[in-house]
Amino acid sequence: GSVSSSLEVKNKCPFTGADVKTTLDTKSQLATEVALADKPLKGHKFTLNNCFSTAGACSGLKVKHEYANDKFAVSNVFDGSELASSAVFGGTCAKHGAFNAGASVALNVKPQALTKHSVAATVSNSNMTFYGALNNGNEVAGSIHHKVRCCELQHAVDFKWNLQTGNTNFAFVSKFKID
């Protein structure tokens, strides 16, 4: 086997409030991360990651932006060749309970091709959760989880269906707690 170690230095910039973390490891890789939270906008976090290696094994510059509040979260990551974004919205409805809806997409910049895309939604209350998703336009996924109130019984059904190949995965799980 091989033995490796690293030296990590963390600093906080007094002028901007940015957190700076630098790591040097025994493989001659120097990684630097600069993170700025709640500046210039409250709730936003900006992160820059860079890696340098004499062997050329590092991935290079990565830029990340995140924003979150009580009902909404968004994330964007750019690594020089792919831009990935995701967003989630959630809330509570008096009639149906809690809900979440989200989408994600990844775009390869060089050939300008969409590499990943998905949408999903969840609705849940105290004893039932429904989940559904469409991944890359060719896979439908969903699940139902139910807790029976009168006893310690829970059961769930999970399925996936690939529209291109016709392959279907199905699972049924049940749990009963005996006192």
Side-chain angles (χ1 to χ4, degrees):
S2 64
V3 177
S4 64
S5 64
S6 64
L7 174 66
E8 184 175 284
V9 178
K10 293 182 181 181
N11 294 317
K12 188 165 193 85
C13 179
F15 304 110
T16 62
D19 294 319
V20 180
K21 180 173 75 171
T22 305
T23 306
L24 177 65
D25 65 16
T26 52
K27 296 178 184 174
S28 297
Q29 293 180 348
L30 178 66
T32 305
E33 176 182 291
V34 179
L36 186 62
D38 291 328
K39 292 180 182 178
L41 302 169
K42 185 167 175 57
H44 292 263
K45 181 178 179 182
F46 298 92
T47 308
L48 293 172
N49 289 307
N50 195 18
C51 185
F52 175 76
S53 174
T54 55
C58 287
S59 60
L61 182 68
K62 183 185 284 187
V63 180
K64 185 174 185 180
H65 166 257
E66 297 170 291
Y67 172 75
N69 65 24
D70 294 344
K71 306 233 184 255
F72 183 73
V74 65
S75 174
N76 301 295
V77 179
F78 181 66
D79 66 2
S81 63
E82 184 177 79
L83 173 64
S85 295
S86 62
V88 177
F89 171 75
T92 305
C93 172
K95 184 176 181 182
H96 300 291
F99 66 91
N100 290 309
S104 67
V105 64
L107 175 70
N108 193 325
V109 178
K110 304 274 186 200
Q112 295 182 351
L114 197 60
T115 56
K116 300 175 199 166
H117 54 286
S118 62
V119 293
T122 303
V123 177
S124 62
N125 59 27
S126 62
N127 64 346
M128 185 86 79
T129 301
F130 296 95
Y131 163 79
L134 178 62
N135 299 316
N136 296 322
N138 63 3
E139 183 181 77
V140 178
S143 67
I144 300 171
H145 179 260
H146 183 236
K147 296 179 187 176
V148 179
R149 292 183 189 205
C150 67
C151 54
E152 294 290 324
L153 176 64
Q154 296 182 38
H155 47 269
V157 176
D158 180 59
F159 74 91
K160 288 183 183 172
W161 175 39
N162 189 311
L163 300 172
Q164 290 179 335
T165 63
N167 291 342
T168 305
N169 296 331
F170 178 79
F172 178 79
V173 179
S174 187
K175 174 184 166 184
F176 182 70
K177 183 177 179 183
I178 300 174
D179 290 332

